[in-house]
């Protein structure tokens, strides 16, 4: 393929822009005046939000599709799926910056924003990577900043513990995944995802065990990143120990980027038509994911029932949410997978805003009261009606109650499952959704019904913060009502490009 | 009646939503404004609901209106299409495509079964706002959530798109949870609110999975072997021109149902058709909210724990939402399954009727009596569905309205007594008719309705149900493997009628002990008569019981016209 720099540049515009933004932020923080340093948060947030517009304006040129969507020597896949994930990751970064702004020891340090930008860069790269080398580089570009973020409050032993745990588990998972990659390369002689499928196709049975081992290893690595059972052990401790804005960021960015990559990896490298030695590889990974999904949902939800710390509750809830999303990945089986891909993309899109909303509310609550116990949220409705309402909207969305976005998110996933003849899985999932709703409702009940000792002490909601929470809440409602169609159609478009 | 323009039904849904949002933004100390917006919105939707009801009544009864059309169709001997008849019965329609790729549309309209329900919801909404006039604690939030609840309930009744039906169904549940948990009876509210929410949601999500399965089965049918039927429906205008094979439109799913899309065999088991497998999920899933035994358990606790306005809307309207959705999404879309399963479900409804009444008789708490009486009366509604004939199902439709107004009236009465006497313990009350004559009279009217006294709406409702049961007895046979049971509906009528006797017993007992007898003037010295707004509540809810009882043609033909398409679907003539 002829290499045209200008033709191919839009495909990596967010990556280039993020790199530039990172440099700007670094220097602004190092050499800028006091005013500039204070405004680093806005530089970062606005910069990322503007970059999020770029994929919207430069939608992939249809002409590129004729020669395939692989650009930059087959490293980058420039398709609608990558665009939708890039947009959501950039917006997640921007919102995280705004929410961290007032957090002492986190948001007042310029390097926090730098690290968030670099982590976002990693996530953005992941969502379009289509070569094992770039996949791994992107994954580490995302992960290493996250380890640093988790231990960002150096003086706080919980934060340090959280960072250390995250690093050890993460490094372990990366190593296993890398080993899987090397096996794949060994069997196929190529690092390109679609090249792997072509090289494996029609192969004899002798490579079967090796390929399956590699597949399992890669799935283990992803399982760690998305916090699925049985690779979830880091989640509660890291979520609890890390500074809350970081927890919010970890819970959305690394998960969304990983799901983007998982979709691409499984459909490109192990497509439906791939048969090795008479074994249909897709059946193997679909069954594997079904099991992981069921276990994640059930364990996450059941353990969450017993939590008394709001951050740990959200940690287990996010394990369960990963389980729901895996339903969509498991539903990739079959010839027409567009519903499944679209459902996963939509779910992640709404999940990012939902989780940021909940965490945003919780950040403010924790910094105002210095406690993380759910029972201390008693009477929050009286102390700050708006804060209580925002958290409630977020929890309802997580629980899948309309008009919040979660209703459509879950609906699309269940629909994809039924379409793929996974009715049993859908029934297990809806049962789980009910269990989950119980603990979300308990939190809401505590905020609205219970009477706390501090009922008469209002919690102030800073204006800027109220706006960012309010807009996020509005987005969550819109995604569940009138904005469903454009986003879902966009997600369907993403499915067509795979 | 066709129409894609703006529908008054859209206003009915959005007025409460907008009012709720506006109220949420008000200053919480400005209680008058909160109440003012609340009552304005509620009155507006009630007026619009009345207009819808009367407009539909006119549509049904006019020369060349729906009834004469249906009659001509039946007499012509032509082959009946339930989907066609259902589509013809809809009025005040509005349709906006929502998610085109999935065939989801915002599609509203009323038919003969839902039009009275719309009116009922309007009545209860106004009554609910009036009776909550003096709530002290967080009135702003209460009123806003109450408005959202009203909007959700309306949505279910007027949805002509199955997805919308679920959307509004779930939308209604959450505000209800908060209203009960936040403003209910302190001793029970947390437990009851959570129990109620989980019960109802468990039911609804299982039916949601069933609905998704129906969506794909119908879509596969229309895209495959039923393509010519689909094209014919497009050509005849039965389906909108932009329809796709995969759609959530209830009309389109009904069309699939009557052309055998849901008769496919599944799981490779002989005799287990798609419809037979999913019908229990669909019917019982919504039946939970209608209080069908053994899933009725949430209901008495929920009603007792809820604040008065919520009890009223809950027992008065929400249980009808369950019965209505079970009819719409269960019986109408899976008629084959109804034929198989309703003959045994009828036993459950019989338990509702008799057992509910017996337990109501044993209660000491005034509110529990009403709570269990709801379980008993809602059993009659489900029993009416199970007759699968015109008479019985029409009776059930009237019973939905009659019981809705009656039970809301009851809960209003209980609330007024409790607010002043501060106790609901029946033996310690007495002689209240002396100080609260309006309330006493209202209770007696409600009580007489409840025991099916001729001249009141209860008679108009219950008599056809029993008549329908009797008529159905010859037709319906329960088949369980090689076991066959026939002609048993007539026995059930006799047993169910005993429920009426028990009802009379507990109503008379409560009336005697609460409103008549000795009045303890020392203990209840501060109990006075009710004020104007409470009187309006009693009139709004009590008058329809008498009007409908004295002049049934105001509602019966309308409901009948809504049932006729169902009978065609169920294979009757």
């Amino acid at each position: 393929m002829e290499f045209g720099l200008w033709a191919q540049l839009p495909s990596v515009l967010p990556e280039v822009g993020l790199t530039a933004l990172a440099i700007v932020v670094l220097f602004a923080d190092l050499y800028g005046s006091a005013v500039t340093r204070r405004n680093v948060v806005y530089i970062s947030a606005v910069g990322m939000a503007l970059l999020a517009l770029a994929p919207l304006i430069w939608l992939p040129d249809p002409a590129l599709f004729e020669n395939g969507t692989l650009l930059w020597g087959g490293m980058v896949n420039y398709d609608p799926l990558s665009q939708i994930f890039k947009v959501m990751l950039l917006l997640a970064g921007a919102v995280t910056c705004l929410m961290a702004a007032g957090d002492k020891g986190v948001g007042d340090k310029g390097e926090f924003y730098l690290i968030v930008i670099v982590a976002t860069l990693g996530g953005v790269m992941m969502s379009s990577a289509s070569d094992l080398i770039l996949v791994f580089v992107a994954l580490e570009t995302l992960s290493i900043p996250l380890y640093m973020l988790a231990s960002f409050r150096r003086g706080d032993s919980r934060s340090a513990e959280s960072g250390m745990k995250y690093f050890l588990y993460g490094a372990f998972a990366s190593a296993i995944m890398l080993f899987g990659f090397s096996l794949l390369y060994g069997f196929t002689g190529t690092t390109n995802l679609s090249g792997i499928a072509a090289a494996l196709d029609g192969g004899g049975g002798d490579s079967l065990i090796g390929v399956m081992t590699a597949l399992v290893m890669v799935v283990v690595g992803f399982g760690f990143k998305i916090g699925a059972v049985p690779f979830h052990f880091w989640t509660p401790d890291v979520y609890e120990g890390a500074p809350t804005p970081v927890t919010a960021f970890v819970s959305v960015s690394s998960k969304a980027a990983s799901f983007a990559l998982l979709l691409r990896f499984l459909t490109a490298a192990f497509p439906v038509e791939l048969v090795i030695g008479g074994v249909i590889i897709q059946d193997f990974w679909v069954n594997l994911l079904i099991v992981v999904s069921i276990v994640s949902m059930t364990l996450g939800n059941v353990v969450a029932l017993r939590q008394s710390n709001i951050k740990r509750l959200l940690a287990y809830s996010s394990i369960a949410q990963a389980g729901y999303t895996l339903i969509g990945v498991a539903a990739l089986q079959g010839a027409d997978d567009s519903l499944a891909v679209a459902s996963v993309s939509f779910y992640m899109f709404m999940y990012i805003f939902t989780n940021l909303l909940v965490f945003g509310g919780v950040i403010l609550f924790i910094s105002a009261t210095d406690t993380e116990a759910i029972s201390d949220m008693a009477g929050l409705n009286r102390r700050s009606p708006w804060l209580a309402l925002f958290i409630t909207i977020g929890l309802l969305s997580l629980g899948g109650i309309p008009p919040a976005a979660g209703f459509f998110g879950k609906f699309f996933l269940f629909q994809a499952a039924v379409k793929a003849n996974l009715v049993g899985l859908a029934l297990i999932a809806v049962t789980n959704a009910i269990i989950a709703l119980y603990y979300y409702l308990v939190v809401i009940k505590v905020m609205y019904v219970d009477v706390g000792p501090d009922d008469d002490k209002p919690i102030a909601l800073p204006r800027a913060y109220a706006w960012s929470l309010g807009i996020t809440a509005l987005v969550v409602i819109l995604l569940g009502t009138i904005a469903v169609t454009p986003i879902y159609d966009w997600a369907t478009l993403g499915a067509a490009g795979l | 009646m066709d129409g894609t323009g703006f529908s008054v039904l859209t206003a009915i849904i959005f007025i409460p939503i907008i009012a709720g949002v506006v109220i949420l933004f008000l200053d919480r100390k400005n209680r008058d404004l909160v109440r003012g917006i609340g009552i304005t919105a509620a009155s507006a939707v009630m007026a619009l609901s009345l207009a819808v009801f009367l407009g539909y009544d006119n549509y049904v009864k006019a020369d060349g209106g729906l009834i004469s059309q249906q009659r001509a169709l039946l007499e012509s001997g032509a082959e009946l299409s339930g989907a066609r008849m259902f589509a013809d019965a809809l009025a005040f329609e509005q349709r906006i495509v929502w998610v085109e790729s999935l065939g989801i549309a915002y599609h509203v309209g009323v038919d003969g079964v839902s039009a009275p329900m719309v009116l009922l919801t309007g009545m209860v909404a106004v009554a609910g706002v009036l009776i909550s006039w003096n709530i002290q604690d967080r009135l702003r939030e209460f009123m806003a959530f109450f408005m959202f609840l009203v909007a959700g309930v309306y949505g279910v009744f007027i949805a002509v798109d199955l997805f919308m039906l679920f959307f509004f169904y779930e939308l209604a549940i959450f505000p209800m949870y908060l209203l009960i948990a936040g403003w209910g009876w302190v001793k029970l509210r947390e437990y009851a609110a959570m129990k109620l929410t989980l019960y109802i949601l468990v039911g609804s999500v299982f039916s949601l999975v069933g609905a998704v399965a129906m969506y794909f089965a119908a879509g596969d049918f229309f895209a495959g072997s039923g393509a010519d039927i689909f094209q014919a429906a497009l050509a005849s205008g039965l389906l909108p021109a932009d329809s796709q094979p995969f759609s959530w439109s209830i009309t389109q799913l009904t069309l699939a149902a009557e052309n055998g899309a849901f008769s496919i065999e599944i799981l490779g088991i002989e005799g287990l058709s798609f419809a037979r497998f999913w019908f229990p999920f669909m019917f019982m899933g919504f039946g939970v909210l209608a209080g069908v035994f053994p899933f009725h358990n949430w209901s008495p606790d929920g009603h007792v724990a809820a604040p008065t306005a919520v009890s009223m809307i809950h027992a008065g309207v929400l249980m009808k939402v369950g019965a209505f959705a079970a009819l719409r999404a269960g019986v109408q879309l899976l008629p084959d399954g109804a034929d198989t399963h309703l003959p045994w479900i009828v036993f459950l409804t019989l338990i509702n009727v008799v057992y509910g009444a017996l337990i109501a008789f044993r209660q000491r708490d005034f509110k529990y009596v009403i709570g269990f009486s709801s379980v008993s009366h809602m059993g009659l509604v489900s029993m009416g569905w199970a007759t699968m004939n015109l008479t019985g199902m029409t009776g059930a439709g009237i019973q939905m309205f009659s019981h809705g107004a009656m039970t809301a009236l009851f809960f209003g009465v209980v609330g007024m007594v409790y607010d002043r006497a501060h106790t609901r313990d029946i033996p310690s009350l007495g002689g209240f008719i002396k100080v609260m004559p309006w309330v006493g009279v209202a209770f007696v009217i409600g009580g007489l309705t409840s025991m099916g006294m001729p001249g009141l709406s209860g008679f108009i409702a219950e008599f056809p149900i029993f008549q329908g049961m009797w008529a159905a007895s010859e037709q319906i046979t329960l088949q369980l493997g090689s076991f066959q049971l026939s002609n048993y509906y007539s026995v059930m009528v006799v047993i169910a009628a005993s429920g009426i006797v028990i009802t009379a017993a507990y109503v008379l007992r409560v009336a005697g002990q609460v409103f008549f007898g000795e009045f303890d003037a020392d203990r209840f010295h501060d109990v006075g008569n009710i004020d104007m707004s409470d009187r309006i509540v009693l009139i709004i809810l009590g008058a329809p019981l008498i009007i409908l009882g004295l002049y049934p043609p105001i509602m019966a033909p309308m409901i009948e016209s809504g049932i006729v398409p169902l009978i065609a679907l169920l294979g009757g003539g």
Side-chain angles (χ1 to χ4, degrees), chain A residues 381-382 402-403 408 411-412 415 419 437 445 448-449 481 485 489, chain B residues 98 101-102 138 163 167 170-171 177 181 190 201 215-216 248:
Chain A
N381 169 249
R382 293 183 189 82
F408 268 100
F411 170 72
F412 291 145
Q415 196 186 27
K419 166 89 179 168
L437 197 69
K445 189 236 13 171
Y448 276 85
V449 181
T481 50
T485 311
D489 286 349
Chain B
W98 191 2
S101 51
L102 295 178
R138 290 171 295 170
F163 184 85
F167 186 85
E170 312 268 328
L171 189 68
Y177 170 80
E190 287 177 24
L201 277 175
Y215 164 82
F216 283 117
W248 287 88

Short mmCIF file of all heavy atoms in Angstrom, two decimals, chain A residues 381-382 402-403 408 411-412 415 419 437 445 448-449 481 485 489, chain B residues 98 101-102 138 163 167 170-171 177 181 190 201 215-216 248:
data_model
loop_
_atom_site.label_atom_id
_atom_site.label_comp_id
_atom_site.label_asym_id
_atom_site.label_seq_id
_atom_site.Cartn_x
_atom_site.Cartn_y
_atom_site.Cartn_z
N ASN A 381 -29.62 13.01 51.50
CA ASN A 381 -30.65 13.78 50.80
C ASN A 381 -30.94 15.11 51.50
O ASN A 381 -31.24 16.11 50.86
CB ASN A 381 -31.91 12.94 50.67
CG ASN A 381 -33.09 13.76 50.20
OD1 ASN A 381 -34.02 14.00 50.94
ND2 ASN A 381 -33.04 14.20 48.96
N ARG A 382 -30.82 15.11 52.82
CA ARG A 382 -31.06 16.36 53.54
C ARG A 382 -29.84 17.25 53.55
O ARG A 382 -29.94 18.46 53.59
CB ARG A 382 -31.49 16.06 54.98
CG ARG A 382 -32.84 15.39 55.06
CD ARG A 382 -33.26 15.17 56.52
NE ARG A 382 -34.46 14.35 56.56
CZ ARG A 382 -34.44 13.04 56.46
NH1 ARG A 382 -33.30 12.38 56.34
NH2 ARG A 382 -35.57 12.34 56.48
N PRO A 402 -34.79 2.46 33.93
CA PRO A 402 -34.99 3.63 33.10
C PRO A 402 -35.43 4.81 33.95
O PRO A 402 -35.98 4.60 35.02
CB PRO A 402 -36.11 3.21 32.14
CG PRO A 402 -36.86 2.17 32.86
CD PRO A 402 -35.86 1.48 33.77
N PRO A 403 -35.27 6.03 33.49
CA PRO A 403 -34.75 6.42 32.19
C PRO A 403 -33.24 6.50 32.13
O PRO A 403 -32.72 7.04 31.16
CB PRO A 403 -35.36 7.81 32.00
CG PRO A 403 -35.42 8.36 33.38
CD PRO A 403 -35.67 7.20 34.29
N PHE A 408 -31.06 0.60 28.81
CA PHE A 408 -30.79 0.23 27.42
C PHE A 408 -29.53 -0.61 27.32
O PHE A 408 -29.47 -1.56 26.55
CB PHE A 408 -30.66 1.48 26.56
CG PHE A 408 -31.95 1.91 25.94
CD1 PHE A 408 -32.70 2.92 26.48
CD2 PHE A 408 -32.43 1.24 24.83
CE1 PHE A 408 -33.90 3.30 25.91
CE2 PHE A 408 -33.63 1.62 24.27
CZ PHE A 408 -34.36 2.64 24.80
N PHE A 411 -30.39 -4.01 28.32
CA PHE A 411 -31.33 -4.55 27.34
C PHE A 411 -30.60 -5.02 26.08
O PHE A 411 -30.84 -6.12 25.59
CB PHE A 411 -32.38 -3.50 27.01
CG PHE A 411 -33.24 -3.86 25.84
CD1 PHE A 411 -34.20 -4.85 25.96
CD2 PHE A 411 -33.05 -3.25 24.61
CE1 PHE A 411 -34.97 -5.19 24.87
CE2 PHE A 411 -33.83 -3.59 23.53
CZ PHE A 411 -34.78 -4.57 23.66
N PHE A 412 -29.68 -4.19 25.59
CA PHE A 412 -28.96 -4.57 24.37
C PHE A 412 -28.14 -5.84 24.60
O PHE A 412 -28.07 -6.72 23.73
CB PHE A 412 -28.04 -3.43 23.91
CG PHE A 412 -28.79 -2.24 23.39
CD1 PHE A 412 -28.31 -0.96 23.59
CD2 PHE A 412 -29.98 -2.38 22.70
CE1 PHE A 412 -28.99 0.15 23.12
CE2 PHE A 412 -30.67 -1.28 22.22
CZ PHE A 412 -30.17 -0.02 22.44
N GLN A 415 -30.42 -8.78 24.76
CA GLN A 415 -30.95 -9.03 23.42
C GLN A 415 -29.92 -9.78 22.58
O GLN A 415 -30.24 -10.74 21.89
CB GLN A 415 -31.29 -7.69 22.78
CG GLN A 415 -32.18 -7.85 21.59
CD GLN A 415 -32.39 -6.54 20.87
OE1 GLN A 415 -31.54 -5.65 20.92
NE2 GLN A 415 -33.48 -6.42 20.20
N LYS A 419 -30.34 -13.46 20.96
CA LYS A 419 -30.09 -13.61 19.52
C LYS A 419 -29.09 -14.74 19.27
O LYS A 419 -29.22 -15.49 18.31
CB LYS A 419 -29.55 -12.29 18.98
CG LYS A 419 -28.95 -12.36 17.61
CD LYS A 419 -29.99 -12.13 16.56
CE LYS A 419 -29.35 -12.18 15.19
NZ LYS A 419 -30.33 -12.25 14.13
N LEU A 437 -29.58 -4.96 41.99
CA LEU A 437 -30.46 -3.83 42.28
C LEU A 437 -30.69 -3.71 43.79
O LEU A 437 -30.86 -2.61 44.31
CB LEU A 437 -31.79 -4.03 41.57
CG LEU A 437 -32.57 -2.74 41.49
CD1 LEU A 437 -31.88 -1.78 40.57
CD2 LEU A 437 -33.97 -2.99 41.02
N LYS A 445 -31.57 3.96 49.63
CA LYS A 445 -32.42 4.03 50.82
C LYS A 445 -31.70 4.74 51.95
O LYS A 445 -32.28 5.60 52.62
CB LYS A 445 -32.80 2.61 51.24
CG LYS A 445 -33.82 2.56 52.30
CD LYS A 445 -33.53 1.82 53.58
CE LYS A 445 -32.18 1.38 53.94
NZ LYS A 445 -31.99 0.86 55.25
N TYR A 448 -31.76 8.44 51.34
CA TYR A 448 -33.05 9.13 51.35
C TYR A 448 -33.87 8.90 52.61
O TYR A 448 -34.71 9.71 52.95
CB TYR A 448 -33.87 8.73 50.12
CG TYR A 448 -33.50 9.53 48.90
CD1 TYR A 448 -32.44 9.16 48.10
CD2 TYR A 448 -34.20 10.69 48.58
CE1 TYR A 448 -32.08 9.91 47.00
CE2 TYR A 448 -33.86 11.44 47.49
CZ TYR A 448 -32.79 11.05 46.70
OH TYR A 448 -32.45 11.80 45.62
N VAL A 449 -33.69 7.76 53.24
CA VAL A 449 -34.60 7.39 54.31
C VAL A 449 -33.94 7.47 55.68
O VAL A 449 -34.51 8.04 56.62
CB VAL A 449 -35.14 5.96 54.08
CG1 VAL A 449 -36.09 5.58 55.19
CG2 VAL A 449 -35.81 5.87 52.73
N THR A 481 -32.48 7.88 26.88
CA THR A 481 -33.72 8.31 26.25
C THR A 481 -33.47 8.71 24.79
O THR A 481 -33.43 7.84 23.93
CB THR A 481 -34.35 9.48 27.03
OG1 THR A 481 -33.35 10.46 27.26
CG2 THR A 481 -34.89 9.02 28.36
N THR A 485 -30.52 6.33 20.02
CA THR A 485 -30.43 5.99 18.61
C THR A 485 -29.09 6.36 17.99
O THR A 485 -28.43 5.50 17.41
CB THR A 485 -31.58 6.66 17.84
OG1 THR A 485 -32.77 6.39 18.54
CG2 THR A 485 -31.68 6.14 16.44
N ASP A 489 -26.61 3.47 16.82
CA ASP A 489 -26.33 3.32 15.39
C ASP A 489 -24.84 3.42 15.11
O ASP A 489 -24.29 2.70 14.27
CB ASP A 489 -27.09 4.38 14.60
CG ASP A 489 -28.57 4.07 14.53
OD1 ASP A 489 -28.94 2.94 14.90
OD2 ASP A 489 -29.35 4.94 14.12
N TRP B 98 -37.97 5.29 17.31
CA TRP B 98 -37.00 5.63 18.34
C TRP B 98 -35.63 5.04 18.00
O TRP B 98 -34.69 5.76 17.72
CB TRP B 98 -37.52 5.15 19.71
CG TRP B 98 -36.75 5.65 20.87
CD1 TRP B 98 -35.69 6.50 20.85
CD2 TRP B 98 -37.00 5.37 22.24
NE1 TRP B 98 -35.26 6.77 22.12
CE2 TRP B 98 -36.03 6.09 22.99
CE3 TRP B 98 -37.91 4.59 22.93
CZ2 TRP B 98 -35.97 6.03 24.38
CZ3 TRP B 98 -37.85 4.53 24.30
CH2 TRP B 98 -36.89 5.25 25.02
N SER B 101 -32.92 0.76 14.01
CA SER B 101 -32.29 -0.51 13.65
C SER B 101 -32.88 -1.66 14.45
O SER B 101 -32.75 -2.81 14.06
CB SER B 101 -30.78 -0.41 13.86
OG SER B 101 -30.52 0.09 15.15
N LEU B 102 -33.50 -1.37 15.59
CA LEU B 102 -34.07 -2.46 16.39
C LEU B 102 -35.59 -2.48 16.32
O LEU B 102 -36.24 -3.27 17.00
CB LEU B 102 -33.64 -2.32 17.85
CG LEU B 102 -32.15 -2.47 18.10
CD1 LEU B 102 -31.84 -2.26 19.56
CD2 LEU B 102 -31.68 -3.83 17.67
N ARG B 138 -40.19 16.78 53.45
CA ARG B 138 -39.70 16.81 52.07
C ARG B 138 -40.84 16.69 51.05
O ARG B 138 -40.86 15.81 50.20
CB ARG B 138 -38.69 15.68 51.84
CG ARG B 138 -37.39 15.89 52.55
CD ARG B 138 -36.53 14.68 52.47
NE ARG B 138 -37.12 13.57 53.19
CZ ARG B 138 -36.69 12.32 53.15
NH1 ARG B 138 -35.68 12.01 52.39
NH2 ARG B 138 -37.28 11.38 53.85
N PHE B 163 -41.66 -2.71 23.71
CA PHE B 163 -40.50 -2.19 24.41
C PHE B 163 -40.88 -1.01 25.30
O PHE B 163 -40.43 -0.90 26.44
CB PHE B 163 -39.42 -1.77 23.41
CG PHE B 163 -38.18 -1.31 24.09
CD1 PHE B 163 -37.23 -2.23 24.49
CD2 PHE B 163 -37.98 0.02 24.38
CE1 PHE B 163 -36.10 -1.82 25.15
CE2 PHE B 163 -36.85 0.44 25.05
CZ PHE B 163 -35.91 -0.48 25.42
N PHE B 167 -40.36 -0.27 29.22
CA PHE B 167 -39.66 0.95 29.62
C PHE B 167 -40.45 1.67 30.71
O PHE B 167 -39.93 2.01 31.78
CB PHE B 167 -39.48 1.84 28.40
CG PHE B 167 -38.65 3.06 28.63
CD1 PHE B 167 -37.28 3.01 28.54
CD2 PHE B 167 -39.25 4.27 28.93
CE1 PHE B 167 -36.51 4.13 28.75
CE2 PHE B 167 -38.49 5.41 29.13
CZ PHE B 167 -37.12 5.33 29.05
N GLU B 170 -40.77 -0.35 34.11
CA GLU B 170 -39.61 -0.24 35.00
C GLU B 170 -39.50 1.19 35.54
O GLU B 170 -39.07 1.40 36.67
CB GLU B 170 -38.33 -0.60 34.25
CG GLU B 170 -38.40 -1.89 33.47
CD GLU B 170 -37.94 -3.08 34.27
OE1 GLU B 170 -37.07 -2.91 35.12
OE2 GLU B 170 -38.46 -4.18 34.05
N LEU B 171 -39.89 2.13 34.71
CA LEU B 171 -39.82 3.53 35.12
C LEU B 171 -40.70 3.79 36.34
O LEU B 171 -40.37 4.59 37.20
CB LEU B 171 -40.27 4.42 33.95
CG LEU B 171 -40.08 5.92 34.08
CD1 LEU B 171 -38.60 6.23 34.04
CD2 LEU B 171 -40.76 6.64 32.94
N TYR B 177 -40.59 2.76 44.90
CA TYR B 177 -39.71 2.30 45.97
C TYR B 177 -39.38 3.44 46.91
O TYR B 177 -39.51 3.33 48.13
CB TYR B 177 -38.42 1.70 45.39
CG TYR B 177 -37.39 1.45 46.44
CD1 TYR B 177 -37.47 0.32 47.25
CD2 TYR B 177 -36.37 2.35 46.69
CE1 TYR B 177 -36.56 0.09 48.24
CE2 TYR B 177 -35.45 2.13 47.69
CZ TYR B 177 -35.54 1.00 48.47
OH TYR B 177 -34.65 0.78 49.47
N ALA B 181 -40.36 3.71 50.76
CA ALA B 181 -39.27 3.64 51.73
C ALA B 181 -39.09 4.96 52.45
O ALA B 181 -38.69 5.01 53.60
CB ALA B 181 -37.99 3.22 51.03
N GLU B 190 -39.15 0.02 55.15
CA GLU B 190 -37.95 -0.41 54.43
C GLU B 190 -38.11 -1.83 53.92
O GLU B 190 -37.80 -2.14 52.77
CB GLU B 190 -36.74 -0.34 55.35
CG GLU B 190 -36.32 1.09 55.58
CD GLU B 190 -35.17 1.16 56.55
OE1 GLU B 190 -34.43 0.16 56.68
OE2 GLU B 190 -35.03 2.20 57.19
N LEU B 201 -39.75 -6.64 40.15
CA LEU B 201 -38.70 -6.64 39.14
C LEU B 201 -38.34 -8.05 38.70
O LEU B 201 -38.07 -8.28 37.52
CB LEU B 201 -37.46 -5.93 39.67
CG LEU B 201 -37.54 -4.42 39.52
CD1 LEU B 201 -36.35 -3.78 40.18
CD2 LEU B 201 -37.57 -4.04 38.06
N TYR B 215 -39.52 -11.24 20.09
CA TYR B 215 -39.07 -10.29 19.07
C TYR B 215 -38.27 -11.02 17.99
O TYR B 215 -38.50 -10.83 16.79
CB TYR B 215 -38.24 -9.22 19.77
CG TYR B 215 -37.37 -8.35 18.90
CD1 TYR B 215 -37.91 -7.26 18.24
CD2 TYR B 215 -36.01 -8.61 18.77
CE1 TYR B 215 -37.12 -6.45 17.45
CE2 TYR B 215 -35.21 -7.81 17.99
CZ TYR B 215 -35.76 -6.74 17.33
OH TYR B 215 -34.96 -5.93 16.55
N PHE B 216 -37.37 -11.88 18.40
CA PHE B 216 -36.56 -12.58 17.40
C PHE B 216 -37.37 -13.62 16.65
O PHE B 216 -37.21 -13.80 15.44
CB PHE B 216 -35.32 -13.22 18.05
CG PHE B 216 -34.25 -12.23 18.36
CD1 PHE B 216 -33.86 -12.00 19.66
CD2 PHE B 216 -33.65 -11.50 17.35
CE1 PHE B 216 -32.89 -11.06 19.95
CE2 PHE B 216 -32.68 -10.57 17.62
CZ PHE B 216 -32.30 -10.35 18.93
N TRP B 248 -40.82 -4.23 17.62
CA TRP B 248 -41.46 -4.40 18.93
C TRP B 248 -42.91 -3.99 18.90
O TRP B 248 -43.57 -4.01 19.93
CB TRP B 248 -40.72 -3.56 19.97
CG TRP B 248 -39.41 -4.14 20.34
CD1 TRP B 248 -38.22 -3.91 19.72
CD2 TRP B 248 -39.13 -5.07 21.38
NE1 TRP B 248 -37.23 -4.64 20.32
CE2 TRP B 248 -37.76 -5.35 21.34
CE3 TRP B 248 -39.92 -5.69 22.36
CZ2 TRP B 248 -37.15 -6.23 22.24
CZ3 TRP B 248 -39.31 -6.55 23.25
CH2 TRP B 248 -37.94 -6.82 23.18
#
